[in-house]
Amino acid sequence: MSRRIARRNLKKEKLEESVEEDEVERSVQFGAELKNDSIPFKSKYSQDPQKIIGLFEDAFKYILESPDLEQHIQSVKGDLFNRDYLAAFNNDDKRFAYASRWTPARALAYSSLFASLEPLRCMLSDSEASSKVLCVGGGAASELVGLGAVFCKLKQDYPATASNLHVDIVDIADWSTVVTNLTHNIKTKWLYDENKFNSKFMYRDILTMNATELDLANLDLVTLLFTTNELFCEKRTETIKFLQNLNTHCKKGGYLLIAESAGSYSNITIGNKKFPVQFLIDMVLIGKPGTDSGAWKIVQQSESCWYRVNQRELKYNMKLENMRFFFRLYQKK
Ligand SMILES: C[S@@+](CC[C@H](N)C(=O)[O-])C[C@H]1O[C@@H](n2cnc3c(N)ncnc32)[C@H](O)[C@@H]1O
């Protein structure tokens, strides 16, 4: 083994060790479950992963063939590294670069997550109902494609069902072209009746929107996937107010799904102490530990959940990363 490879392996081992230590530390402090759950690469309740990747290949054909794509990807990478999220998504070149490079792997993971969570699967397959979902920070459309993959597979398996799905997406960056493009592809490629699936994109700061604008009282599901941490970093007080709005206005029985990176990346500093973001979220949504006094209850959760891409089964000319995250599925009491 060359010295360079040995050094790289040592660095990787050290990094993995520090992630483990970080988790042990957190579980000691907060009594968190220490588990490495996983969700399947593919599910019978969702479109086949290669079909999901195929949707992106069709939708982004010209982007994927563009000689400028790599340059735009590098530019987004630089902004994300500096945690300058507004700069990362400030024009269509960068947004399409992100959506072709990172959204496909996330859409695969989210389709598996939605298919694995039985209450959400039941909601999407309810034969008579029409379901309404709000995806906060979902402009890059991973949630849209993930939801579409489960909904359309159920529709294909049970074509007589009358269900339909409406997805509202709110994002502070203008992802309207990406959302319109992928919604069109889902409707035309995966559905016999295009009217059964719809989306609406709102180019807004979620922290300035009220309950009526968000139609909170009529939502069956709100998703905050890899977005809550960003909101807390932007404006902590307003983020707590937004979560409190969900407490007050969401309907009984409705669901809320929150996911963020597992590990110290999702810590929030208050004063000179660091807290895992899920600790703060739980305080607002379910109340102080042991009191059960909040507006929501947790119906399913994982402190560390893996989605691993089976590279041998997929063809895409960009990297498709594995994902590791914590999640909570809450239901309104
Ligand atoms: C890390 S990305 C996550 C994207 C997507 N949810 C996923 O998991 O693939 C966070 C998203 O939240 C959006 N965002 C950040 N602050 C926001 C705000 N105040 N209101 C609405 N969207 C916001 C960003 O523009 C970005 O699209």
Side-chain angles (χ1 to χ4, degrees), residues 24-40:
V24 173
E25 170 74 8
R26 209 177 63 208
S27 74
V28 169
Q29 275 183 305
F30 301 103
E33 282 171 71
L34 248 191
K35 264 207 238 157
N36 261 321
D37 298 328
S38 61
I39 48 173

Side-chain angles (χ1 to χ4, degrees), residues 89 98 106 110 137-138 142-143 170-173 175 204-207 225-227 230-231 234:
F89 306 132
Y98 179 93
R106 302 179 83 87
Y110 293 159
S142 329
E143 295 90 327
V170 174
D171 204 291
I172 202 163
W175 292 93
R204 297 280 305 271
D205 177 349
I206 190 74
L207 302 178
L225 305 186
F226 285 80
T227 297
E230 230 172 285
L231 296 181
E234 283 167 28

Side-chain angles (χ1 to χ4, degrees), residues 105-115 142-143 146 150 225-226 259 323:
R106 302 179 83 87
L108 289 175
Y110 293 159
S111 72
S112 173
L113 181 62
F114 296 136
S142 329
E143 295 90 327
V150 177
L225 305 186
F226 285 80
M323 269 177 81

